[in-house]
Amino acid sequence: EVQLVESGGGLVQAGGSLRLSCAASGFTFDDYTIGWFRQAPGKEREGVSCISSSDGSTYYADSVKGRFTISSDNAKNSVYLQMSSLKPEDTAVYYCVAKRGPFGIGDLAGYDYWGQGTQVTVSS
């Protein structure tokens, strides 16, 4: 059974940091794009960041560039999202996603697997 399990969400003050983790099971990271989407109430779903398990290429949405860092540990089948200088507008449920095929954030519909999500709340 394929699973993506997110952890690390929580409540943090503006300017603070959080590290999200995504542990994958049931498949290996070979030739996958693994990333993070977020969904806030009343807002459109946004592709935040992704990383290629093949060559380490990364993508960041403009809204998080310079503040978030994505990394992966293929040996542990895990991906991490280090979030710094958090803002109230970063408040959302963050979902870990994975897909095979060409690298790129794309749309959630193009992903093969996704997790249940972890809540991130940034207070002002």
Side-chain angles (χ1 to χ4, degrees), residues 53-105:
S53 66
S54 300
D55 62 10
S57 297
T58 58
Y59 161 87
Y60 298 97
D62 287 342
S63 58
V64 306
K65 204 171 291 183
R67 299 188 298 120
F68 290 11
T69 302
I70 192 170
S71 60
S72 66
D73 186 335
N74 289 1
K76 295 183 178 180
N77 252 27
S78 294
V79 169
Y80 310 96
L81 187 68
Q82 178 67 46
M83 306 185 296
S84 302
S85 302
L86 283 162
K87 305 174 181 180
E89 50 263 44
D90 294 318
T91 296
V93 177
Y94 285 71
Y95 298 90
C96 180
V97 296
K99 65 174 181 177
R100 302 200 72 169
F103 175 74
I105 191 68

Side-chain angles (χ1 to χ4, degrees), residues 15-32:
S17 299
L18 282 174
R19 187 189 192 219
L20 304 184
S21 298
C22 173
S25 60
F27 72 103
T28 57
F29 270 5
D30 294 343
D31 197 27
Y32 271 83

Side-chain angles (χ1 to χ4, degrees), residues 40-60:
K43 293 186 179 180
E44 288 191 5
R45 185 170 53 216
E46 181 183 21
V48 174
S49 180
C50 64
I51 186 167
S52 166
S53 66
S54 300
D55 62 10
S57 297
T58 58
Y59 161 87
Y60 298 97

Side-chain angles (χ1 to χ4, degrees), residues 100-124:
R100 302 200 72 169
F103 175 74
I105 191 68
D107 186 78
L108 185 60
Y111 284 80
D112 301 305
Y113 311 118
W114 53 91
Q116 292 298 309
T118 185
Q119 177 70 47
V120 171
T121 302
V122 184
S123 64
S124 56

